[in-house]
């Protein structure tokens, strides 16, 4: 099987420098040694050489660069592994899932908590697990391998900055658990798909986290000038400080003037139900959009994806409720 590995940066390939960890290890040479003598010894390798980044520096342009590299190689490989930093990996895996619904080969993202040269590093385990998933014939679409689990790419979220089980998928079961043999769960939901998507472009999306006592004037300041869309991370099932003076008016005015407002939850595991409590009723009636059970990463990447497709207002709102790539459960 022909496998292509795309390396974009992250702790996996970092070395200690004068200002902390930064990319610098010979990842290609390390992979060569790791895979020597195996059936994957002939893997091809691409490194974003002059742009290896800590994934906290990633932008939608970086998501698109991975999409472009995968398309450039689609004829020449049967499976793909993307190596990137863990910090924003779930944003990338969500973004890839929307852009690659028609892509013919599996794509598995992975990274590491420790650099490859460190004793006790999880780099080799994760890369080998990702390769095993990608070549299994059982993991179509975009997924994320980490520690001992294969997760749906657009259901995964980073839950630990140190655990070798750094990711979870709170709304759905893992796709597979490693072992001898691997234990496979139900196949992922595929969604309605998105043929021929336009490329990701930078978008002016504001993500606001509510906290008790953050005043309306402060929120209003963050929303001037009006962004292309807002993701409002609320409490529980999408509850909002509706009794806070000016709060409901602030967001109602924004929605009325055409800015989509998506209500997500701060809970790791949540299903947003606008109007279930009186506290979210006014914004529900004003046309706020529910994030359902999508992860924070899947919501943000989806808003950027839809804006990049040229959608806004009611069209964008309608598509947020559509399961494009398995990121959202029905109801
Ligand atoms: N800061 C690193 C990154 O996301 C974290 C990691 O890869 N473990 O690039």
């Amino acid at each position: 099987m022909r496998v292509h590995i795309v390396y974009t940066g992250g702790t996996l390939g970092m070395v200690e420098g004068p200002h902390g960890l930064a990319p610098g290890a010979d990842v290609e040479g390390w992979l060569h040694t790791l895979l020597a003598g195996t059936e994957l010894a002939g893997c091809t390798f691409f490194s974003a050489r002059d742009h290896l980044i800590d994934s906290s520096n990633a932008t939608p342009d970086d998501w698109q660069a991975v999409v472009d590299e995968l398309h450039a190689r689609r004829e020449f490989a049967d499976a793909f592994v993307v190596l990137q930093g863990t910090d924003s990996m779930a944003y990338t895996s969500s973004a890839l899932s929307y852009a690659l619904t028609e892509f013919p080969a599996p794509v598995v993202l992975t990274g590491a908590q420790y650099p490859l040269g460190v004793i006790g590093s999880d780099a080799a385990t994760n890369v080998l697990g990702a390769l095993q998933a990608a070549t299994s014939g059982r993991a179509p679409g975009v997924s994320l391998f980490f520690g001992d689990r294969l997760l749906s790419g657009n259901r995964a979220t980073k839950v630990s900055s140190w655990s070798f089980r750094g990711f979870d998928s709170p709304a759905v079961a893992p796709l597979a658990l490693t072992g001898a043999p691997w234990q496979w769960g139900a196949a992922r939901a595929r969604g309605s798909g998105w043929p021929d998507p336009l490329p990701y472009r930078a978008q002016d999306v504001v993500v606001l986290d509510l906290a008790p006592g953050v005043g309306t004037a402060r929120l209003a300041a963050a929303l001037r000038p009006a962004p292309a869309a807002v993701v409002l991370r609320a409490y529980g099932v999408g509850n909002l400080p509706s009794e806070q003076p000016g709060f409901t008016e602030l967001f109602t005015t924004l929605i009325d003037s055409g800015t989509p407002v998506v209500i997500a939850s701060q809970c790791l595991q949540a299903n947003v139900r606008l109007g279930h409590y009186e506290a979210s009723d006014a914004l529900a009636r004003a046309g706020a959009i529910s994030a359902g059970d999508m992860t924070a990463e899947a919501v943000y990447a989806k808003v950027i994806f839809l804006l990049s497709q040229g959608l806004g207002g009611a069209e964008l709102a309608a598509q947020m409720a559509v399961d494009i790539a398995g990121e959202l459960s029905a109801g």
Side-chain angles (χ1 to χ4, degrees):
M1 183 175 274
R2 302 165 305 165
V3 181
H4 185 59
I5 301 177
V6 179
Y7 169 51
T8 67
T11 298
L12 182 140
M14 288 188 180
V15 291
E16 197 70 56
H19 306 291
L21 287 168
D26 175 13
V27 173
E28 185 168 13
W30 173 78
L31 278 170
H32 190 73
T33 309
L34 186 69
L35 301 177
T38 73
E39 68 269 32
L40 295 178
C43 279
T44 52
F45 180 79
F46 169 83
S47 167
R49 268 179 236 291
D50 50 354
H51 188 61
L52 292 173
I53 53 170
D54 188 303
S55 75
S56 34
N57 281 309
T59 70
D61 291 339
D62 294 296
W63 305 341
Q64 189 57 40
V66 175
V67 170
D68 291 344
E69 170 61 17
L70 296 173
H71 276 304
R73 289 290 177 153
R74 63 190 282 175
E75 312 271 290
F76 308 108
D78 310 302
F80 295 82
V81 167
V82 177
L83 308 180
Q84 85 144 77
T86 59
D87 285 339
S88 71
M89 191 189 295
Y91 288 92
T92 308
S93 57
S94 297
L96 295 190
S97 78
Y98 306 129
L100 297 172
T101 57
E102 311 281 297
F103 197 68
V107 178
V108 183
L109 287 88
T110 197
Q113 298 281 34
Y114 267 157
L116 55 84
V118 171
I119 303 269
S121 171
D122 51 338
T125 310
N126 287 347
V127 169
L128 293 172
L131 286 166
Q132 194 168 340
T135 56
S136 66
R138 302 187 65 166
V142 178
S143 43
L144 187 155
F145 180 85
F146 212 81
D148 61 348
R149 295 189 297 182
L150 183 69
L151 307 172
S152 253
N154 52 28
R155 293 296 200 157
T157 188
K158 185 171 175 179
V159 292
S160 174
S161 65
W162 57 267
S163 170
F164 285 168
R165 226 186 211 202
F167 289 82
D168 202 354
S169 63
V172 297
L175 297 173
L177 193 61
T178 62
W182 279 30
Q183 303 299 303
W184 289 85
R188 83 152 58 70
R190 297 301 294 269
S192 57
W194 197 288
D196 303 322
L198 294 170
Y200 280 104
R201 283 185 293 107
Q203 303 289 342
D204 183 16
V205 175
V206 174
V207 181
L208 291 174
D209 238 322
L210 293 178
V214 175
T216 304
R218 171 56 58 211
L219 295 170
L223 296 169
R224 244 186 329 262
V230 180
V231 177
L232 187 55
R233 285 168 49 79
Y235 307 114
V237 290
N239 298 322
L240 303 152
S242 55
E243 291 175 16
Q244 180 168 307
F247 180 90
T248 301
E249 293 69 27
L250 174 66
F251 288 97
T252 306
T253 309
L254 208 58
I255 294 167
D256 286 347
S257 59
T259 300
V261 174
V262 182
I263 313 285
S265 174
Q266 295 175 0
C267 294
L268 185 61
Q269 187 174 53
N271 198 350
V272 172
R273 295 175 66 193
L274 296 181
H276 185 58
Y277 287 87
E278 199 176 297
S280 64
D281 180 62
L283 279 196
R285 281 189 287 108
I289 303 159
S290 166
D293 66 349
M294 287 186 274
T295 62
E297 294 92 334
V299 170
Y300 180 75
K302 189 170 180 176
V303 171
I304 303 275
F305 177 76
L306 294 174
L307 288 168
S308 298
Q309 307 312 305
L311 302 189
E315 277 185 325
L316 186 144
Q319 289 300 326
M320 283 304 290
V322 173
D323 178 25
I324 295 173
E327 74 283 3
L328 175 68
S329 304

